[in-house]
Amino acid sequence: MKLFFSPASPFVRKVMVCAIERGIDGQIEKLGSAAHPINQDASIKAHNPTGKVPTLVTDDGTAIYDSRVICEFLDSIGGAPGLFPASGAERWKALVLQSAADEMLDAALLARYETVARPEALRWADWHKGQITKIHTTVKAYSDEWIGHLESRLDIGTVAAGVSLGYLDFRFPDIGWRDGNARLAAWYQGFAERPSMKATLPVG
Ligand SMILES: N[C@@H](CCC(=O)N[C@@H](CS)C(=O)NCC(=O)O)C(=O)O
């Protein structure tokens, strides 16, 4: 299978962490791509109408996106323990934590595009501030509501949350997410040592 890839994308990183955790990353061929909200990549759009990464194309040519669906697809391959609990409260907890992390990343990406893609004359400071607020409130939710889950499980929610904090270190090094969140910071320090996280450090 082939994956439209970007070494800086946190959503791609989440997919690759899942693949490594499940021992199937060797089955993925990475395709260079240039996803961008304005200058869209036609090679991705041939498979995914939004032109975003990650987009996976299976060996029979089926396109699979977005990252949530790709991660669940990868969970259906191979024999290693899955990252998606099959049913019940455990499943919904894991999926909601994944959504919290993904939505925090959406806010982080929108804040970043505001400075790297939008012309200065069209920027709106309050809108940017709103996205940054979402980052802080999600980090607080990790600390206050999810820390027990993070410390006790390895599932798709844990992976997504870890990757989202890694993205803050990569693109928002001054945001100070560790301030007042010592227990979360300690959890992340251990999580970041996983071989899957070390093998997928963002570049860009
Ligand atoms: N919901 C999507 C989000 C993917 C996403 O936003 N990817 C970014 C790169 S990190 C992208 O392709 N941006 C280009 C664009 O916005 O058109 C997912 O989970 O895969």
Side-chain angles (χ1 to χ4, degrees):
M1 55 194 150
K2 297 181 167 67
L3 180 71
F4 285 97
F5 182 87
S6 155
S9 164
F11 296 102
V12 171
R13 187 181 192 193
K14 182 179 63 161
V15 164
M16 290 309 301
V17 168
C18 288
I20 294 168
E21 291 290 345
R22 304 209 64 258
I24 54 175
D25 50 304
Q27 298 179 35
I28 296 176
E29 181 189 339
K30 296 174 185 167
L31 300 178
S33 61
H36 190 275
I38 317 298
N39 305 313
Q40 300 171 14
D41 182 330
S43 67
I44 308 173
K45 291 186 86 170
H47 302 276
N48 172 348
T50 67
K52 291 189 178 186
V53 288
T55 294
L56 185 83
V57 182
T58 66
D59 293 342
D60 71 5
T62 304
I64 299 189
Y65 49 87
D66 61 2
S67 65
R68 283 169 266 221
V69 185
I70 299 172
C71 291
E72 193 152 2
F73 174 74
L74 295 179
D75 228 47
S76 71
I77 299 174
L83 295 166
F84 285 74
S87 62
E90 299 239 319
R91 176 170 172 80
W92 304 124
K93 284 268 179 211
L95 292 184
V96 170
L97 179 54
Q98 173 178 222
S99 289
D102 284 2
E103 290 183 358
M104 188 258 259
L105 284 176
D106 284 339
L109 276 184
L110 289 174
R112 179 169 161 78
Y113 287 150
E114 192 70 8
T115 51
V116 299
R118 191 184 294 279
E120 199 161 353
L122 301 177
R123 288 181 198 158
W124 181 15
D126 283 354
W127 191 91
H128 182 264
K129 201 171 141 201
Q131 306 311 316
I132 300 295
T133 300
K134 292 186 187 196
I135 295 175
H136 286 298
T137 49
T138 305
V139 169
K140 184 158 168 43
Y142 290 164
S143 263
D144 294 354
E145 297 165 33
W146 292 102
I147 191 67
H149 183 114
L150 292 169
E151 287 172 345
S152 61
R153 288 173 215 192
L154 178 68
D155 62 22
I156 187 60
T158 319
V159 168
V163 166
S164 73
L165 294 173
Y167 188 70
L168 297 185
D169 283 349
F170 176 52
R171 290 297 195 206
F172 297 81
D174 300 327
I175 205 164
W177 68 263
R178 289 173 178 81
D179 299 346
N181 297 305
R183 193 170 154 189
L184 180 67
W187 169 77
Y188 179 72
Q189 194 175 353
F191 187 79
E193 287 300 312
R194 295 187 74 81
S196 60
M197 288 291 282
K198 288 172 104 167
T200 57
L201 284 172
V203 179

